[in-house]
Amino acid sequence: MSEPGQEDAANRKDVLDALDDFLEELRREFKENPEFAYRAVRALGANVEITGPKAVDLVNPIWLVSQHGVHDTARRLSTFTPAQLKKIAKNSSLATPTDMAGKSSEDLITLIVKRAQIKIEERTS
């Protein structure tokens, strides 16, 4: 038979070890799946600035317009190259290659923002 409190201490250590293991797995998943990490941080209410090579894969113009408005979204999109803007539009199902052919960065941003607004209106009606 164990001393009073020893069993509680042993269980507490097991619980803490289990939580450490869980959090480590979560950290690994965040590193391997940046889209999941971005969604999780966004769900926490944090204002997240996306930078780096994976930014193009994570930008959601529909969410940006709904949360930050047209002008701020256009400003944020202006940091991307035309090729990146085309990828963002394609990933978000906002434009086809034909829609985007021959367009400047400014034209692509206008197209993305307008189509994002349309999607938002469709979802709210």
Side-chain angles (χ1 to χ4, degrees):
M1 185 166 218
S2 61
E3 295 280 327
Q6 284 182 337
E7 190 173 310
D8 288 341
N11 286 337
R12 198 172 312 122
K13 185 171 178 1
D14 291 342
V15 168
L16 293 177
D17 287 342
L19 286 171
D20 284 343
D21 292 345
F22 169 76
L23 293 173
E24 184 57 36
E25 286 301 316
L26 196 55
R27 276 189 284 277
R28 265 192 230 124
E29 183 61 26
F30 286 146
K31 286 178 184 176
E32 292 175 17
N33 188 344
E35 183 180 358
F36 174 62
Y38 176 67
R39 287 192 328 264
V41 171
R42 201 173 66 200
L44 291 171
N47 187 10
V48 180
E49 189 72 27
I50 304 169
T51 58
K54 299 204 182 233
V56 172
D57 296 325
L58 300 176
V59 171
N60 180 338
I62 298 166
W63 183 84
L64 281 173
V65 169
S66 71
Q67 297 299 307
H68 298 285
V70 171
H71 298 295
D72 190 47
T73 299
R75 181 190 59 77
R76 291 172 188 233
L77 292 175
S78 70
T79 63
F80 293 101
T81 66
Q84 291 171 321
L85 290 167
K86 288 176 182 180
K87 187 172 182 180
I88 290 167
K90 181 179 175 264
N91 289 350
S92 302
S93 301
L94 294 175
T96 66
T98 304
D99 296 332
M100 298 182 284
K103 294 208 180 332
S104 67
S105 289
E106 188 176 299
D107 293 337
L108 290 167
I109 291 167
T110 300
L111 175 71
I112 291 168
V113 170
K114 282 184 180 178
R115 298 236 174 128
Q117 284 181 296
I118 291 168
K119 291 261 187 181
I120 292 166
E121 289 171 8
E122 288 173 354
R123 291 177 182 177
T124 57
S125 61

